[in-house]
Amino acid sequence: MKIIKTFFILLTVATLGACSKDDKPDNLEDIPGLGGDTWAKTPLDLWLHDSMVAPYNIEVKYKWDQFEFELDKTLVPPDESMVKPAISAIQKVWIDTYIAEAGDIFFKRYSPKFLILCGSASWNVDNGTITLGTAEGGRKVVLYSINDFRTKTSPGYKLSDSVVIKQIFHVIEHEFGHILHQNILYPPAFKQISTGHYTANWNNISDEEAHSTGFITPYAMSGYDDDFVETVSLMLTDGRAAFDNLVNSIPEGTVNGVTQAAAQSALRQKEAMVVGYFKSAWNIDFYSLQTRTRKAVEQLLY
């Protein structure tokens, strides 16, 4: 924020120095946003109000605002035709399932209040990774790749399109998991399960290596908190059968000093702690939530 502020101050000084007293600005009334945005609400705006603002106090921002994003990234605005399908799907997979298990008071209290949409992914050129979502203080979540959103009812949908959609569901579940543990911390013992195997170089690790080290994804290896919410997120979106298959398919051998049995044990311990945490902290039956979430995903994609 300090850098941005300085930039604008310097820009103002340079501009003032280049103007003469005879220069007069023309057509001030045509400057977009001067005095506040005044565009008329569209049918999409009205639908978002009725579907998100009124029932959940969640505002969905899809009109482009560059200051919601990192200024050094090349990004694409969301295609308006993609907004309603994406939000409808997020409602079914995330909102409806949590409300069914925990009630609307719980959801309204802890859900983020702003969803910011971006059409493209955010590429991190320094390490070759892609940012698919970010969160700020539990109040705002930014979702990327909206323009690639497709469900089985979309024209031209292919099964391979499901990868992007599941990533978006993964992001919203991941960020909501952060909000939950920031309000009530998960058991400290969780941090001891894979101690010594967290790494800043997670982006250089394959899924298979992560699994064989006792992590559900490579990104889970970046730190305790992300290990916890990655476990929550993937268990919800992929379902119980997929998690069981992941654990059971870890091959024999030792990876990063971790044996097959130790990796499987680590993942099962994390599963148990997630299930116990949801029950003790939030009185949520995690396996029931998992079943609802996976069913919603399958209905949209398969």
Side-chain angles (χ1 to χ4, degrees):
M1 184 61 69
K2 203 176 282 186
I3 293 173
I4 295 172
K5 185 175 181 181
T6 302
F7 170 78
F8 280 115
I9 291 174
L10 292 174
L11 180 60
T12 303
V13 171
T15 303
L16 289 173
C19 294
S20 71
K21 63 181 181 180
D22 295 326
D23 291 336
K24 295 181 180 179
D26 295 322
N27 301 320
L28 287 179
E29 67 276 8
D30 294 331
I31 298 176
L34 186 65
D37 296 321
T38 57
W39 57 71
K41 291 188 180 298
T42 67
L44 175 58
D45 295 321
L46 298 175
W47 180 85
L48 288 171
H49 178 273
D50 294 342
S51 302
M52 297 293 285
V53 177
Y56 312 118
N57 196 26
I58 299 175
E59 180 180 347
V60 178
K61 188 172 182 179
Y62 67 92
K63 295 183 184 298
W64 189 248
D65 181 351
Q66 64 187 11
F67 297 109
E68 294 287 1
F69 309 97
E70 296 175 271
L71 298 179
D72 61 341
K73 298 293 181 67
T74 300
L75 301 169
V76 174
D79 184 331
E80 291 191 14
S81 67
M82 296 294 188
V83 174
K84 185 174 180 179
I87 296 301
S88 294
I90 288 171
Q91 285 178 313
K92 293 173 182 175
V93 170
W94 172 52
I95 298 177
D96 293 350
T97 55
Y98 264 103
I99 288 178
E101 290 296 330
D104 58 352
I105 293 177
F106 161 86
F107 185 79
K108 290 175 184 177
R109 179 175 296 167
Y110 295 107
S111 60
K113 297 310 171 190
F114 295 93
L115 296 182
I116 313 299
L117 306 185
C118 180
S120 60
S122 178
W123 290 87
N124 304 307
V125 296
D126 55 333
N127 60 15
T129 62
I130 301 175
T131 298
L132 295 173
T134 58
E136 289 184 15
R139 308 304 293 173
K140 178 171 73 173
V141 173
V142 180
L143 297 173
Y144 297 87
S145 296
I146 293 298
N147 290 352
D148 295 321
F149 193 91
R150 303 284 190 283
T151 65
K152 66 181 183 182
T153 60
S154 302
Y157 174 78
K158 307 181 297 297
L159 189 58
S160 59
D161 294 332
S162 67
V163 174
V164 172
I165 300 112
K166 285 192 291 185
Q167 286 176 333
I168 292 175
F169 296 152
H170 175 187
V171 166
I172 196 71
E173 298 285 6
H174 176 109
E175 300 301 349
F176 192 52
H178 275 309
I179 292 171
L180 294 182
H181 82 68
Q182 287 162 2
N183 278 275
I184 301 179
L185 186 62
Y186 52 81
F190 184 92
K191 297 180 179 182
Q192 304 304 315
I193 298 173
S194 292
T195 185
H197 293 288
Y198 294 100
T199 174
N201 295 319
W202 61 268
N203 54 297
N204 295 319
I205 295 173
S206 67
D207 287 342
E208 293 74 20
E209 182 180 349
H211 300 162
S212 292
T213 312
F215 295 87
I216 198 167
T217 64
Y219 188 49
M221 300 180 73
S222 65
Y224 306 119
D225 291 349
D226 283 308
D227 189 10
F228 183 78
V229 298
E230 280 288 278
T231 305
V232 170
S233 178
L234 264 292
M235 286 179 65
L236 288 176
T237 58
D238 287 1
R240 192 168 184 176
F243 181 76
D244 288 342
N245 182 63
L246 183 157
V247 175
N248 295 332
S249 64
I250 294 174
E252 294 182 358
T254 300
V255 175
N256 298 325
V258 180
T259 64
Q260 176 196 47
Q264 291 174 329
S265 175
L267 286 164
R268 288 302 185 190
Q269 289 179 66
K270 292 173 185 179
E271 174 189 18
M273 284 205 178
V274 164
V275 173
Y277 166 80
F278 269 74
K279 188 63 178 177
S280 63
W282 307 109
N283 196 29
I284 294 174
D285 182 333
F286 185 84
Y287 285 131
S288 180
L289 176 64
Q290 183 182 45
T291 299
R292 289 181 186 276
T293 304
R294 182 58 189 174
K295 183 178 179 180
V297 171
E298 290 177 349
Q299 289 175 339
L300 288 166
L301 303 182
Y302 308 115

